[in-house]
Amino acid sequence: NKILYVPRAGGRDGELRYIVSDLGATFGRVKLDVPGLWRIRRNRNDPADYAKDAFLEDVKGGQVYLFYKGKRQDLFDDIRVDEARWIAGLLSKLSDRQIQDAFRAANYTPDEVRILTAAVRGRIDELAGIPAWSASSR
């Protein structure tokens, strides 16, 4: 992922654009390799495997734990329930057509678009279904 500066015509101020340069690395399945050495690997660009992979690992003590075993796991160490529900509220506003358009733009086949759209919608629904955290839940 990168942020690029894109100049405008005539030397006017440009704008910053956020790009994802390797979307395929995201859509695979986490697998454990055990032959002699424990290590985690992810297959790449396999929508069917991505759809089968676990997403929400646990919710306890007001914290949300995602099933994520990739690089920079520390980025997901402190996700509060209210934060997960907030992003779910935003993402829930996306229509299936908008999600499909993102995958079509990335040149996925119609079947892969269908699989990925259902998986992303399911993950949004998982986050939205997390019960609200209250003092009585502690």
Side-chain angles (χ1 to χ4, degrees), residues 60-122:
K60 62 182 176 188
Q63 296 291 123
V64 175
Y65 299 92
L66 302 179
F67 185 81
Y68 176 76
K69 306 300 179 209
K71 294 179 183 176
R72 297 296 317 266
Q73 292 179 34
D74 59 302
L75 295 173
F76 301 98
D77 283 348
D78 189 27
I79 302 172
R80 295 187 327 258
V81 166
D82 61 319
E83 294 168 330
R85 289 173 51 86
W86 172 78
I87 194 67
L90 292 176
L91 293 172
S92 293
K93 294 176 183 180
L94 291 171
S95 69
D96 283 351
R97 178 65 188 214
Q98 289 171 309
I99 297 169
Q100 291 165 0
D101 285 346
F103 293 120
R104 272 195 293 275
N107 290 321
Y108 282 98
T109 68
D111 192 45
E112 291 170 331
V113 167
R114 181 187 55 75
I115 291 167
L116 289 166
T117 300
V120 168
R121 177 62 66 201

Side-chain angles (χ1 to χ4, degrees), residues 5-17:
Y5 176 76
V6 179
R8 295 191 183 177
R12 296 182 315 175
D13 288 338
E15 64 183 7
L16 297 176
R17 293 189 185 171

